[in-house]
């Protein structure tokens, strides 16, 4: 069974939890920082609309949020990294099908957390860029309603003139590594097709929980 270990399914809720620049600003933010902030602000704009609470208009809002999330994440990169070394053993068709079902799982898990948004406060605390400039980690700290501070870091890479998130760390727990551990457990005794089926089933389970 694919489990939501630790805080892996808190990721979408924290991602959508209100990443506004509350507090000290970061001087001369990088393009990656700007892309992250701009996209999250678009999500916030949708979350704050009263239509989200209305059954007749809720799905339209969720659809717009889904499209915004799609622009922020590189689901192809996420898929390859979560599978790890075994990715090279997937056929082109298996890779496509896995990306499709894993993207659906991440989307549904994200949408499941929308009702938990309570305007949490977030501060961008800095960023670290690789020597070659091809990787950036944008770091934030989220202050929850109970005053607990949660560090969240977004690992990003450039592609097609913009920057995409390829991993998120919540309290130093990596989304990619968390899923990779689970997927490797399945691949150790099963096939890529079996993994795809398991991920698809989990995505359907989350979708049903979302009432869709």
């Amino acid at each position: 069974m694919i489990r939501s270990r630790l805080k892996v399914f808190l990721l979408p809720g924290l991602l959508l939890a209100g990443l506004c620049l509350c507090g000290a600003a970061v001087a001369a933010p990088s393009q990656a920082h700007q892309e992250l902030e701009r996209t999250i602000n678009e999500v916030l704009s949708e979350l704050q609309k009263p239509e989200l609470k209305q059954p007749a208009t809720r799905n339209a809002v969720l659809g717009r949020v889904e499209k915004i999330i799609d622009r922020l994440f590189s689901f192809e990169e996420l898929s390859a990294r979560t599978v790890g070394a075994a990715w090279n053993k997937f056929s082109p068709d298996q890779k496509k099908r896995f990306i499709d079902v894993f993207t659906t799982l991440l989307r549904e898990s994200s949408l499941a957390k929308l009702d938990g948004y309570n305007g949490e406060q977030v501060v961008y605390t800095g960023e670290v860029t690789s020597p070659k400039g091809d990787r950036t980690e944008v770091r934030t700290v989220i202050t929850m309603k109970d005053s607990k501070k949660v560090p969240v870091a977004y690992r990003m890479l450039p592609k097609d003139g913009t920057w995409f998130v390829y991993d998120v760390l919540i309290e130093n727990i990596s989304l990619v590594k968390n899923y990779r551990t689970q997927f490797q457990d399945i691949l150790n005794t099963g096939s890529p097709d079996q993994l795809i089926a398991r991920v698809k089933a989990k995505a359907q389970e989350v979708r049903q929980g979302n009432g869709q």
Side-chain angles (χ1 to χ4, degrees):
M1 174 181 181
I2 296 179
R3 305 176 296 280
S4 53
R5 292 184 181 180
L6 301 174
K7 296 182 175 66
V8 68
F9 284 122
L10 287 179
L11 160 66
L14 289 172
L15 171 64
L16 306 179
L19 299 188
C20 56
L21 277 176
C22 305
V26 177
S30 67
Q31 183 183 355
H33 179 142
Q34 293 177 46
E35 292 287 352
L36 179 65
E37 182 185 350
R38 178 167 53 251
T39 306
I40 294 302
N41 284 342
E42 289 183 41
V43 172
L44 285 178
S45 177
E46 296 296 334
L47 289 180
Q48 294 165 357
K49 292 180 178 179
E51 290 94 326
L52 181 63
K53 303 298 183 181
Q54 304 298 322
T57 54
R58 177 178 171 82
N59 284 341
V61 175
L62 294 181
R64 292 194 295 270
V65 170
E66 182 177 301
K67 290 180 180 179
I68 295 170
I69 294 173
D70 284 354
R71 295 205 311 267
L72 181 62
F73 285 88
S74 173
F75 292 108
E76 181 176 356
E77 189 74 20
L78 271 165
S79 297
R81 288 174 179 268
T82 54
V83 172
W87 189 244
N88 293 327
K89 299 178 182 179
F90 281 46
S91 69
D93 177 66
Q94 288 171 330
K95 288 180 178 179
K96 181 182 183 303
R97 288 188 288 121
F98 180 83
I99 292 171
D100 288 344
V101 297
F102 188 49
T103 298
T104 299
L105 175 60
L106 292 177
R107 284 173 178 164
E108 294 299 332
S109 299
S110 296
L111 297 179
K113 298 298 179 181
L114 287 180
D115 288 332
Y117 170 67
N118 289 307
E120 287 82 354
Q121 301 295 300
V122 176
V123 174
Y124 288 85
T125 58
E127 54 189 277
V128 178
T129 301
S130 67
K132 294 182 179 180
D134 60 348
R135 297 287 188 278
T136 293
E137 181 175 296
V138 182
R139 296 172 177 174
T140 71
V141 173
I142 300 177
T143 301
M144 310 301 288
K145 286 297 184 180
D146 61 1
S147 297
K148 178 182 178 181
K149 295 184 182 298
V150 181
V152 180
Y154 300 84
R155 290 180 173 170
M156 306 179 70
L157 53 80
K159 182 179 180 182
D160 298 330
T162 187
W163 285 76
F164 292 90
V165 173
Y166 70 89
D167 194 10
V168 181
L169 285 73
I170 301 175
E171 295 184 323
N172 295 316
I173 298 173
S174 164
L175 169 75
V176 166
K177 289 183 179 179
N178 194 303
Y179 272 118
R180 185 186 297 156
T181 298
Q182 299 177 57
F183 294 166
Q184 286 180 344
D185 287 345
I186 296 171
L187 290 171
N188 283 340
T189 56
S191 66
D193 284 335
Q194 288 174 312
L195 174 61
I196 292 168
R198 297 280 285 278
V199 175
K200 181 178 181 180
K202 182 62 181 180
Q204 291 175 337
E205 177 185 327
V206 178
R207 184 178 183 85
Q208 290 173 354
N210 289 344
Q212 298 183 41

